Amino acid sequence: MPDCLFCAIVAGSVPAFKVVDSPDGVGFLDIRPVFKGHVLVVPRPHVPELSALEPDLLPGFFALVQRVAAAVPEATGARGTFVAMNNIVSQSVPHLHAHVVPRTKGDGLRGFFWPRHKYGSEEEAASYASRIAGVLG
């Protein structure tokens, strides 16, 4: 899809802090993370929402989301993750993506109010991406 930011990231024509690049999808840091280490996982083909994802792609895509959800706490020191997906409403980019957000007890996240935290620098973002990618292998 020529005007899709996530398709451009998948294709490599737009830079991103990728943590995984596999046949099942691509994971990269959210540039406006809820907490540092917040990863977006997208399928390789342009798919606007979950209901449009081909059934044969579901197992691989969700296995990738599961792998990222396991890697994020180990890489960031978080206690767990919050995994979420919007369909059409609240999607800032109309390409299916799963949010994998690191969580710790008392982190202040309440319901669906997601305060955003910026990375202090590109080096800090690259460090988070590298640590998560390292856990993913």
Side-chain angles (χ1 to χ4, degrees):
M1 186 86 159
D3 293 333
C4 176
L5 173 62
F6 290 174
C7 285
I9 290 171
V10 168
S13 59
V14 168
F17 294 101
K18 290 184 181 178
V19 302
V20 64
D21 191 340
S22 78
D24 295 313
V26 176
F28 51 90
L29 295 181
D30 189 317
I31 60 168
R32 295 182 326 116
V34 174
F35 298 114
K36 295 173 182 177
H38 175 169
V39 175
L40 301 178
V41 182
V42 302
R44 296 192 80 77
H46 181 80
V47 178
E49 61 183 297
L50 184 59
S51 62
L53 187 63
E54 293 294 327
D56 62 317
L57 299 179
L58 283 168
F61 177 70
F62 278 103
L64 181 59
V65 172
Q66 183 182 45
R67 285 183 56 217
V68 172
V72 165
E74 184 177 337
T76 64
R79 298 250 320 145
T81 59
F82 174 67
V83 178
M85 186 179 300
N86 292 307
N87 280 294
I88 307 298
V89 176
S90 294
Q91 276 184 299
S92 56
V93 176
H95 185 124
L96 175 64
H97 54 285
H99 294 262
V100 179
V101 180
R103 295 295 312 273
T104 56
K105 186 171 176 62
D107 60 18
L109 189 61
R110 302 259 189 270
F112 286 97
F113 173 69
W114 291 13
R116 299 297 180 135
H117 305 275
K118 293 183 179 183
Y119 292 97
S121 65
E122 288 206 2
E123 291 78 19
E124 183 182 31
S127 171
Y128 275 86
S130 176
R131 292 186 343 229
I132 296 167
V135 172
L136 288 166

